[in-house]
Amino acid sequence: MRMSDYYKNLREKVGNRLIFMPSVAGIVRNNLGEILLQNKGNGEKWSLPAGAIELGEAPAEAVVREVWEETGLYVVPEKLLGVFGGKDFRYQYPNGHKVEYNVFMFECVIQSGELNPIDNETAELQYFNPSNMPGLALPYPKDLFLQRENNELYFQWDERWLKNLSQK
């Protein structure tokens, strides 16, 4: 989908400089437990169906919209799997725009639809076995994809940070 007016206006003010971007990503599985990945066809690595949260939109609403736009599937977010961000989630788009994502990752269940992207961001969609997935554009922990029945929410953080904080 095209860049929202909010991000267009922001980019007019800050150019390519680094900005925070609240975002969502959806893990969508088929009946075999394989995970749906998106190839944008522009030389970037594979990714989960994902995108920015728009103004006035709840994260769960955003993941439903993004998955539909990028895959043609209507999904329902079943649970929040993890929250990610920080330096490891910085990304530079081919046009030079720099972002630091704050990602809410949801496990999603397909309700209806067919694999047929609505927007022009997707060149290819393919399901992959979680133990044999290609490298992703963002460094999500691999075990998150393998543990379908995990009921714990994954928090990304470095325990050294806590130790350094306690020593101040």
Side-chain angles (χ1 to χ4, degrees):
M1 217 41 144
R2 66 175 182 78
M3 185 184 300
S4 72
D5 290 339
Y6 171 75
Y7 285 107
K8 274 186 188 174
N9 292 335
L10 184 59
R11 282 296 175 195
E12 287 174 8
K13 292 176 174 62
V14 303
N16 287 345
R17 289 192 313 231
L18 183 66
I19 62 170
F20 277 114
M21 185 173 280
S23 305
V24 292
I27 294 181
V28 179
R29 298 178 193 268
N30 63 13
N31 292 338
L32 300 173
E34 297 169 319
I35 296 174
L36 183 62
L37 297 182
Q38 168 194 37
N39 182 340
K40 295 183 180 185
N42 60 5
E44 296 178 31
K45 291 183 177 181
W46 288 83
S47 64
L48 295 167
I53 300 170
E54 300 295 339
L55 288 178
E57 190 174 49
E61 295 167 340
V63 78
V64 171
R65 176 184 51 77
E66 285 290 344
V67 170
W68 177 74
E69 289 174 356
E70 296 179 358
T71 71
L73 298 175
Y74 290 98
V75 298
V76 172
E78 190 172 67
K79 66 181 175 181
L80 182 64
L81 293 178
V83 181
F84 304 91
K87 289 181 183 178
D88 290 343
F89 284 80
R90 288 186 181 172
Y91 185 78
Q92 182 170 332
Y93 286 93
N95 67 2
H97 291 175
K98 297 174 188 163
V99 297
E100 184 173 308
Y101 292 116
N102 297 113
V103 183
F104 297 85
M105 181 187 282
F106 292 91
E107 180 87 35
C108 298
V109 177
I110 300 171
Q111 297 299 302
S112 63
E114 295 180 19
L115 285 182
N116 185 23
I118 306 304
D119 64 18
N120 59 358
E121 292 182 32
T122 305
E124 180 182 6
L125 294 167
Q126 186 175 333
Y127 285 98
F128 291 90
N129 184 302
S131 61
N132 193 27
M133 290 178 18
L136 299 179
L138 293 174
Y140 298 113
K142 299 225 184 272
D143 62 335
L144 192 64
F145 300 110
L146 298 173
Q147 300 175 357
R148 188 170 184 182
E149 298 303 319
N150 185 1
N151 290 322
E152 289 185 28
L153 181 60
Y154 184 93
F155 293 100
Q156 173 222 353
W157 69 313
D158 185 338
E159 291 183 18
R160 293 174 296 181
W161 175 85
L162 184 61
K163 184 177 179 181
N164 291 338
L165 184 65
S166 67
Q167 293 175 355
K168 289 184 180 184

